[in-house]
Amino acid sequence: MRQIETAAITRAVKEAAIAANYDLGKDLLAALQRGEQEEESPSGREIFRQLLENASIADTERVPLCQDCGLAVIFVELGQEVQIVGGDFEQAIQEGVRQGYGEGYLRKSLCHPLTRANTGDNTPAVIHTEIVPGDRLKITVVPKGGGSENMSRVFMLKPAEGRAGVIEKVVTAVKEAGPNPCPPIIVGVGIGGTFERAALLAKKALLREVGSPNPDPELAALEQEMLQQVNDLGIGPQGLGGRITAMAVHVLMQPSHIASLPVAVNIQCHASRHKEAVL
Amino acid sequence: MSKTVKLTPPLTDKDVEVLEIGDRVLVSGVIYTARDAAHKRLVDLLAAGKELPVDFKGQILYYVGPSPARPGRVIGAAGPTTSYRMDSYTPTMLQLGLKAMIGKGKRSPEVIAAMQQYKAVYLGATGGAGALISQCIKKAQVVAFPELGPEAVHRLEVENLPAIVINDCKGRDLYELGVKEYRRTADTNIEPTVCR
């Protein structure tokens, strides 16, 4: 068994939370640059230009990319040959979020759902842990903004609705969201599993590098078709009208019950932030 | 043809009437912030017959919950939040004389009608450009509900904060018209348009 100290986990989460909020990924930067070149609408091109400038200011002036520093969603892949020592694993992650959002001057955006009282330190994070082969611990911090999360949907389709029904729901979700989730967006789609698994797949799909093809040719074709139809909506950057409503559609799929066809659409704003740490 | 207009509150009916959808505006001077939690407090104060901490007559309200300022800095990131969450409170605010709102995303038909009735405009700032917009903010001070943290009402002094007129006081909506121009799909709700 390889031992990993909880203190190292806290440190990794803290650093990833800060880095994710200040430094836009290279894939996203490339996608924004492509957008600035390819967008036909003048106001759309101006939005891409502003977003590139925003990323540059965030980097040089150390201002978060967006004031909504997100609810910290944490994906953990825990190698089965790893033993966590020195304390409680989940508490170590929460402590990392607490320190990252505090020391990183990030906005604390969590509250009691009913009284709306702020929890004060952006905890609790939402943690998804998977046990995998090996002796490594991979932690991905995904600060998820509220505006785009609010526009996300889960649909329980009839199996007869099939592939066309799935595409239609994805397009519907994006259309109804319109300008609200800060387009140009990334669309995460989860197909299959159960009600909650479809939603988790949709969120996980957002982690794939923007611009990289889906390794499954069937899903790659589906993504292309969805992207085309989403962009035909004409919503464009910030909803002002344009060709690029979404920079990418990412799909993850797994078998579902013979009675079901769950489809989840997790909408991600252009500030698609995630940072990975491997211990 | 869209134009660029400099706006400095307090605004009059005249200032608002010249603004048309698609116009670029550069906001300077003092503006106030409020998100949904602050709106609820304000509307509750009114309902209780109490005085508001700010006189909104002629003012501009920016829907933003900034991130904390680093030491020595004015403010953190400060881009707009989604405006529809304020919709149920907005007609009341417009009745008080509020002249403009800065946010992002669609407004309800009731808000658009109230903007016509009370002569006000809705301006869109670029969502997710929080670092960029923070550069336009020269002073920031909490003036009400400090216990709300990022949702407190701030008084901001801004210089050339860029925005675009989304809804003018004639009931028009840039989100509808701008998208129409680029839509390539037939739609039962909205007339299909010719592809460019």
Side-chain angles (χ1 to χ4, degrees):
Chain A
M1 293 295 271
R2 181 170 167 256
Q3 294 195 331
I4 295 179
E5 292 277 349
T6 48
I9 295 171
T10 296
R11 196 161 53 240
V13 169
K14 172 181 125 179
E15 285 167 5
I18 295 173
N21 272 292
Y22 284 88
D23 309 315
L24 202 58
K26 285 198 178 74
D27 56 334
L28 241 297
L29 278 174
L32 293 177
Q33 280 157 354
R34 269 199 308 279
E36 194 195 13
Q37 296 296 315
E38 291 170 9
E39 177 57 60
E40 288 174 28
S41 124
S43 55
R45 278 198 302 277
E46 166 63 16
I47 298 296
F48 277 111
R49 195 198 59 72
Q50 287 183 15
L51 297 180
L52 286 164
E53 194 184 343
N54 186 65
S56 155
I57 291 170
D59 179 30
T60 55
E61 300 287 322
R62 299 323 276 167
V63 184
L65 288 154
C66 180
Q67 72 291 337
D68 184 352
C69 304
L71 181 156
V73 179
I74 318 269
F75 284 98
V76 178
E77 287 179 25
L78 176 62
Q80 61 190 19
E81 290 157 46
V82 172
Q83 186 189 12
I84 307 292
V85 294
D88 180 307
F89 173 62
E90 292 219 347
Q91 283 312 314
I93 291 177
Q94 301 293 2
E95 183 55 28
V97 169
R98 192 172 289 121
Q99 290 180 12
Y101 277 73
E103 294 172 31
Y105 297 95
L106 303 178
R107 196 181 78 184
K108 288 78 180 168
S109 308
L110 262 70
C111 68
H112 184 290
L114 301 180
T115 67
R116 311 306 294 174
N118 199 298
T119 67
D121 59 6
N122 219 53
T123 69
V126 172
I127 305 171
H128 302 291
T129 304
E130 239 181 294
I131 309 288
V132 298
D135 66 353
R136 297 278 165 177
L137 171 62
K138 184 163 119 181
I139 301 173
T140 309
V141 178
V142 188
K144 188 66 172 76
S148 57
E149 194 73 353
N150 282 345
M151 297 294 116
S152 300
R153 308 278 296 272
V154 176
F155 303 95
M156 300 303 283
L157 300 189
K158 292 192 287 288
E161 292 176 78
R163 192 176 184 274
V166 172
I167 295 174
E168 196 255 316
K169 289 303 179 200
V170 171
V171 175
T172 298
V174 174
K175 182 171 172 227
E176 288 178 357
N180 293 358
C182 288
I185 55 176
I186 315 286
V187 187
V189 180
I191 307 172
T194 48
F195 176 77
E196 86 287 1
R197 178 52 68 99
L200 189 58
L201 289 173
K203 177 144 282 133
K204 257 188 139 168
L206 296 173
L207 302 181
R208 203 175 90 216
E209 195 175 302
V210 174
S212 67
N214 194 310
D216 177 334
E218 182 194 4
L219 296 185
L222 183 60
E223 288 178 356
Q224 273 315 307
E225 218 170 306
M226 287 174 175
L227 182 63
Q228 180 69 52
Q229 290 197 30
V230 159
N231 283 337
D232 282 350
L233 291 170
I235 295 166
Q238 294 292 310
L240 301 174
R243 295 285 172 230
I244 306 174
T245 301
M247 295 184 282
V249 178
H250 291 173
V251 179
L252 281 175
M253 185 164 78
Q254 75 173 62
S256 61
H257 190 282
I258 52 171
S260 307
L261 175 47
V263 180
V265 185
N266 198 193
I267 294 184
Q268 170 63 59
C269 63
H270 57 76
S272 180
R273 297 158 290 182
H274 45 91
K275 271 287 175 303
E276 202 179 283
V278 180
L279 298 177
Chain B
M1 197 60 202
S2 66
K3 55 189 179 291
T4 300
V5 180
K6 291 195 170 235
L7 281 186
T8 302
L11 304 179
T12 62
D13 282 359
K14 255 193 185 148
D15 294 326
V16 167
E17 278 163 353
V18 300
L19 296 173
E20 293 184 286
I21 57 166
D23 285 350
R24 312 266 152 186
V25 297
L26 294 168
V27 178
S28 296
V30 171
I31 62 174
Y32 294 92
T33 75
R35 291 170 48 103
D36 26 346
H39 273 77
K40 184 173 188 318
R41 297 281 186 100
L42 292 170
V43 170
D44 286 351
L45 282 176
L46 277 179
K50 295 193 176 138
E51 202 182 323
L52 296 187
V54 172
D55 179 4
F56 289 101
K57 197 170 184 321
Q59 297 303 323
I60 300 178
L61 202 46
Y62 182 19
Y63 301 147
V64 58
S67 67
R70 283 177 185 276
R73 300 277 185 89
V74 172
I75 204 163
T81 193
T82 325
S83 307
Y84 72 89
R85 298 195 318 274
M86 272 54 78
D87 281 355
S88 57
Y89 308 111
T90 298
T92 306
M93 300 302 294
L94 295 173
Q95 207 175 356
L96 292 173
L98 182 72
K99 280 291 168 205
M101 299 151 286
I102 307 172
K104 60 145 174 130
K106 289 178 278 197
R107 305 312 300 263
S108 69
E110 292 75 20
V111 169
I112 293 173
M115 282 191 270
Q116 279 182 272
Q117 187 183 344
Y118 299 110
K119 290 214 190 303
V121 289
Y122 171 52
L123 311 172
T126 301
L132 179 68
I133 295 173
S134 76
Q135 310 286 296
C136 308
I137 301 172
K138 305 303 172 189
K139 264 189 194 168
Q141 182 194 355
V142 172
V143 291
F145 319 133
E147 63 281 9
L148 293 179
E151 301 203 68
V153 173
H154 294 67
R155 176 187 188 273
L156 303 181
E157 285 184 38
V158 299
E159 242 175 64
N160 293 328
L161 191 151
I164 185 163
V165 180
I166 302 290
N167 299 110
D168 55 26
C169 66
K170 296 162 192 92
R172 291 182 297 182
D173 189 344
L174 180 63
Y175 289 140
E176 290 293 330
L177 297 178
V179 169
K180 242 184 184 179
E181 202 178 322
Y182 290 92
R183 183 181 289 123
R184 281 171 161 154
T185 50
D187 193 304
T188 45
N189 301 321
I190 301 153
E191 315 149 26
T193 51
V194 180
C195 297
R196 278 157 54 106

